[in-house]
Amino acid sequence: MRVATLAGETDFDGWRAGARAFRQAGVAPGEAVFRVGGSGPGLFDDGLPALTPDTGFHTARAFVDLAQSVILHRSGDRFDLLYRLLWRLKAEPDLIRVVTDVDVADAMERAKNVSRASHKMKAFVRFRRIDAADGERWAAWFEPAHRVLERTAPFFARRFANMHWTILTPDGSAIWDGDTLAFGPPATRDMAPGEDEVEDFWKTYYASTFNPARLKLKTMQGEMPKRYWKNLPEAALIHQLTAQSLARTETMVAAPASEPNARLAKTLSRINRDHAFDEGFVPSSLEELGQAVQACRRCPLWRDATQGVCGTGLKAAPLMIVGEQPGDQEDLSGRPFVGPAGQLLDEALVEAGIRREDAFVTNAVKHFKHEPRGKRRIHKTPLASEISACRWWLDAERRLVKPKVIVTLGTTAALGVLNRKIALMQERGQPMHQAGGARVVATVHPAYLLRLTDEAARIEERGRFVADLKRIRALL
């Protein structure tokens, strides 16, 4: 066996020198041993081979970076894993890029664990004050999952540059005097203060920011593993706060809403008064209508929408098609039925023999109602009050276009046009006479067809939808 002796568990330079000598001498991974400390090779061991002049074999920077992380892992076979990778790199120069390789994947996973341990150290080190004779000092006890003290200590030197602090760990200690960062021998827990008077302020702050309605125990334990709790002053509050969370949440929900700030309410009222749509306005054209809807404050939907979306199409169209509300794409483009449902509608109109450019296409509600979910805006069905508030705009469109036939797509559109809820599947396709001579025909919304997951049902319903449109064409 050939043995390389390292100065310490994290002696990367020593490992690299030994690995280089082994590799040049052709010592196979099974014959190379890396030993930490001691007096060197044993009675039956051979020492480190002598280095020979440069043979032209160089490793990629990616491997060096990976090895510098892996060597901080606490696993006992990390030196062997790294040397096995180094041995293979000569014949497989791109090995580090093969993330499916067992050795590469193993090394990357260990490097990831080391990185996570460094992150936890940054998050969970808690300094306690020591009133020393030469001034105020701070000390913290921490037990990192891996040997990350020297890697992570510079972060604390930058973060707490004005403090004199010491971080004590079983692997060593880091000392910052406001100017120089030094490292010392391993420490024990009793060498660090157990508490200080500052902790009471920290606990009070932690308890005041604890929101019982947002408590997620699994997530919290994932981010703050229990192994670190014994060093965290606030951990003493966790059981109490979680036990009280349900009662505190119920109290919060039951509490009456606080009164709005009077000054803010007055300001908002003035803004709405000065900038909202004037109820006395009577648009004389569809262009005026489209501009005026941008100032509409008849319901709250305008707050979260990009813009109001009025109808488009032939100004004196015999056919008006009314949908529910703008979708995500319509809200951004300012035009109705340009998304997936609009494309399906276009295809169905073609099959029914209706030209979209001969119709006027609009929605019962002019602003996009949605709720954010991650980066997506998820559609929400408008309330009856919101449909009623928007009927003013729909009636204005009907008055300007004067359609002969109005097609309502879905129940929301039917409510907007007819001002009553309908049993859609029972009244579907039946012409309903309106004051002024127009006839209204209700059918399903194209989005309903898109939501059908059963292929046979989707084909059947699509056929019924096209059949409805064909009957409507006969009314024109």
Side-chain angles (χ1 to χ4, degrees), residues 13 26 29 32 61 65 105 175 280 317 335 379 394 420 423 463:
D13 290 338
R61 183 66 207 178
D65 293 340
I175 304 100
R335 297 177 60 82
H379 161 276
L394 182 60
R420 68 175 178 85

Side-chain angles (χ1 to χ4, degrees), residues 137-195:
R137 294 183 177 277
W138 300 81
W141 168 254
F142 191 71
E143 299 167 63
H146 299 285
R147 300 181 178 93
V148 294
L149 175 65
E150 294 187 19
R151 166 175 286 195
T152 315
F155 163 81
F156 292 96
R158 295 190 299 271
R159 180 80 176 271
F160 304 104
N162 296 326
M163 293 169 50
H164 290 195
W165 52 258
T166 302
I167 300 177
L168 305 170
T169 80
D171 305 313
S173 52
I175 304 100
W176 172 254
D177 61 2
D179 184 46
T180 304
L181 180 63
F183 295 95
T188 55
R189 185 185 183 90
D190 60 332
M191 296 170 67
E195 60 182 9

Side-chain angles (χ1 to χ4, degrees), residues 178-242:
D179 184 46
T180 304
L181 180 63
F183 295 95
T188 55
R189 185 185 183 90
D190 60 332
M191 296 170 67
E195 60 182 9
D196 68 5
E197 59 185 17
V198 180
E199 286 185 5
D200 290 336
F201 295 103
W202 168 242
K203 289 178 181 177
T204 301
Y205 170 76
Y206 181 80
S208 67
T209 58
F210 182 82
N211 187 339
R214 293 186 174 182
L215 177 63
K216 295 181 179 178
L217 278 177
K218 288 186 178 180
T219 302
M220 186 181 74
Q221 291 180 10
E223 295 297 322
M224 186 191 287
K226 282 190 173 182
R227 59 171 293 159
Y228 299 111
W229 287 19
K230 58 187 176 183
N231 298 323
L232 303 176
E234 66 270 28
L237 303 174
I238 292 176
H239 290 296
Q240 176 187 353
L241 293 173
T242 54

Side-chain angles (χ1 to χ4, degrees), residues 98-417:
V98 185
V99 295
T100 55
D101 181 88
V102 173
D103 287 337
V104 174
D106 188 3
M108 287 185 169
E109 180 63 24
R110 298 191 201 198
K112 183 179 178 182
N113 292 337
V114 168
S115 176
R116 187 180 296 118
S118 178
H119 171 73
K120 297 300 184 188
M121 185 174 179
K122 294 174 184 176
F124 298 136
V125 160
R126 296 288 184 270
F127 290 106
R128 292 184 168 96
R129 190 171 66 186
I130 302 172
D131 293 323
D134 57 346
E136 183 181 84
R137 294 183 177 277
W138 300 81
W141 168 254
F142 191 71
E143 299 167 63
H146 299 285
R147 300 181 178 93
V148 294
L149 175 65
E150 294 187 19
R151 166 175 286 195
T152 315
F155 163 81
F156 292 96
R158 295 190 299 271
R159 180 80 176 271
F160 304 104
N162 296 326
M163 293 169 50
H164 290 195
W165 52 258
T166 302
I167 300 177
L168 305 170
T169 80
D171 305 313
S173 52
I175 304 100
W176 172 254
D177 61 2
D179 184 46
T180 304
L181 180 63
F183 295 95
T188 55
R189 185 185 183 90
D190 60 332
M191 296 170 67
E195 60 182 9
D196 68 5
E197 59 185 17
V198 180
E199 286 185 5
D200 290 336
F201 295 103
W202 168 242
K203 289 178 181 177
T204 301
Y205 170 76
Y206 181 80
S208 67
T209 58
F210 182 82
N211 187 339
R214 293 186 174 182
L215 177 63
K216 295 181 179 178
L217 278 177
K218 288 186 178 180
T219 302
M220 186 181 74
Q221 291 180 10
E223 295 297 322
M224 186 191 287
K226 282 190 173 182
R227 59 171 293 159
Y228 299 111
W229 287 19
K230 58 187 176 183
N231 298 323
L232 303 176
E234 66 270 28
L237 303 174
I238 292 176
H239 290 296
Q240 176 187 353
L241 293 173
T242 54
Q244 296 173 347
S245 62
L246 179 59
R248 289 181 61 188
T249 301
E250 291 176 346
T251 302
M252 289 170 58
V253 173
S258 57
E259 290 293 329
N261 181 285
R263 184 177 179 183
L264 176 61
K266 185 177 180 180
T267 301
L268 291 175
S269 176
R270 185 176 65 253
I271 291 174
N272 285 336
R273 181 199 64 196
D274 295 342
H275 298 282
F277 168 71
D278 182 0
E279 295 283 353
F281 171 74
V282 178
S284 60
S285 68
L286 293 172
E287 289 74 16
E288 285 186 355
L289 190 74
Q291 294 172 4
V293 77
Q294 307 307 327
C296 180
R297 302 294 186 267
R298 297 170 65 88
C299 78
L301 295 186
W302 65 273
R303 297 177 190 276
D304 298 322
T306 303
Q307 59 189 312
V309 181
C310 280
T312 59
L314 199 61
K315 294 182 179 179
L319 174 64
M320 174 180 280
I321 301 173
V322 182
E324 181 186 272
Q325 64 161 342
D328 184 75
Q329 295 185 33
E330 289 80 3
D331 173 71
L332 298 174
S333 68
R335 297 177 60 82
F337 281 94
V338 296
Q343 295 172 17
L344 195 155
L345 174 64
D346 289 348
E347 294 171 0
L349 287 172
V350 170
E351 289 186 43
I354 300 174
R355 287 161 34 101
R356 174 164 171 167
E357 50 269 34
D358 292 339
F360 185 85
V361 182
T362 188
N363 284 298
V365 174
K366 307 306 181 189
H367 286 104
F368 180 31
K369 183 175 183 179
H370 61 276
E371 63 179 4
R373 192 174 300 170
K375 295 182 179 180
R376 300 178 58 198
R377 301 191 298 174
I378 304 301
H379 161 276
K380 290 188 69 175
T381 302
L383 300 173
S385 60
E386 293 160 348
I387 299 170
S388 177
C390 221
R391 186 173 295 115
W392 190 94
W393 299 101
L394 182 60
D395 286 346
E397 287 178 322
R398 293 175 60 179
R399 185 172 60 251
L400 290 168
V401 177
K402 297 182 175 62
K404 184 179 179 181
V405 177
I406 301 173
V407 182
T408 61
L409 306 176
T411 54
T412 295
L415 178 59
V417 172

